[in-house]
Amino acid sequence: SIYQVRPDVQAICHAHPHEIIPFTACDIPLRSVYHSNCTFYEGIPVYRALEPSSGLHIATRDKGQRMAAVLSEKRGVLIRNHGVVVVGESLPRVIYSSITLRDGAKILLDTQALGVEPHYIGTEEAKRCTEIQFGEVGLARGWNYWCTKAKQAFPDISGIPHTSE
């Protein structure tokens, strides 16, 4: 459903990171407090239209289309009490965004645990951070790091290129 409405999307990640789940289960927005997860500066909507009979899954074409509509032009969508979907123009961008979203959620939870209002990163700062992170050097640096980590964790794996785009 996402590919049908978003021709810019070339890769999708659906995941259930423990650090993100709290933000799917409440009305506290998942916002950026550190530079590397600024790729979500436009916000992350929450898809809430899950029915108890679905087991909190998007199990029909209709539900997929509704979730894609909530995603709209954003880089990701939280699924109520379930997980997250992250989209991107390439696999390296989806991997980068997915990992930094998880890390950003953990950092935000840690910051909120201090009992103070976080200093969120503003839109203009976040746009510039995203330009740098998704630039040739920033994206290649992250992609190569994660490819190296994957090869170390799974030595028999093959076909992981060391290029970001």
Side-chain angles (χ1 to χ4, degrees), residues 35-76:
H35 73 286
S36 286
N37 94 310
C38 284
T39 57
F40 295 91
Y41 67 86
E42 294 177 329
I44 305 172
V46 181
Y47 176 70
R48 299 182 188 283
L50 297 169
E51 299 167 359
S53 62
S54 73
L56 297 178
H57 290 89
I58 299 171
T60 67
R61 183 179 307 271
D62 179 58
K63 297 289 184 202
Q65 291 169 341
R66 289 183 191 181
M67 193 265 309
V70 171
L71 171 67
S72 185
E73 297 301 315
K74 303 285 196 270
R75 187 160 296 280

Side-chain angles (χ1 to χ4, degrees), residues 21-31 46 48 78 80-81 112:
I21 299 300
F23 295 96
T24 73
C26 69
D27 293 326
I28 297 172
L30 179 49
R31 296 175 55 195
V46 181
R48 299 182 188 283
L78 301 178
R80 179 185 59 81
N81 299 97
Q112 291 170 330

Side-chain angles (χ1 to χ4, degrees), residues 31 38 41-43 120-130:
R31 296 175 55 195
C38 284
Y41 67 86
E42 294 177 329
Y120 296 105
I121 296 175
T123 302
E124 291 307 313
E125 290 174 311
K127 282 182 186 180
R128 183 62 186 133
C129 286
T130 299

Side-chain angles (χ1 to χ4, degrees), residues 87-165:
V87 302
E89 305 82 0
S90 67
L91 183 59
R93 285 183 179 207
V94 165
I95 296 297
Y96 184 97
S97 297
S98 298
I99 291 171
T100 60
L101 181 63
R102 180 207 59 203
D103 294 349
K106 172 70 169 118
I107 292 168
L108 180 55
L109 288 169
D110 290 347
T111 304
Q112 291 170 330
L114 296 173
V116 297
E117 182 68 18
H119 296 286
Y120 296 105
I121 296 175
T123 302
E124 291 307 313
E125 290 174 311
K127 282 182 186 180
R128 183 62 186 133
C129 286
T130 299
E131 290 170 3
I132 292 168
Q133 300 304 327
F134 278 175
E136 186 177 334
V137 172
L139 194 58
R141 188 176 292 153
W143 179 252
N144 291 337
Y145 171 77
W146 292 312
C147 287
T148 299
K149 296 296 279 182
K151 288 178 182 181
Q152 289 171 350
F154 304 99
D156 296 335
I157 200 167
S158 63
I160 298 178
H162 263 204
T163 181
S164 62
E165 296 280 354

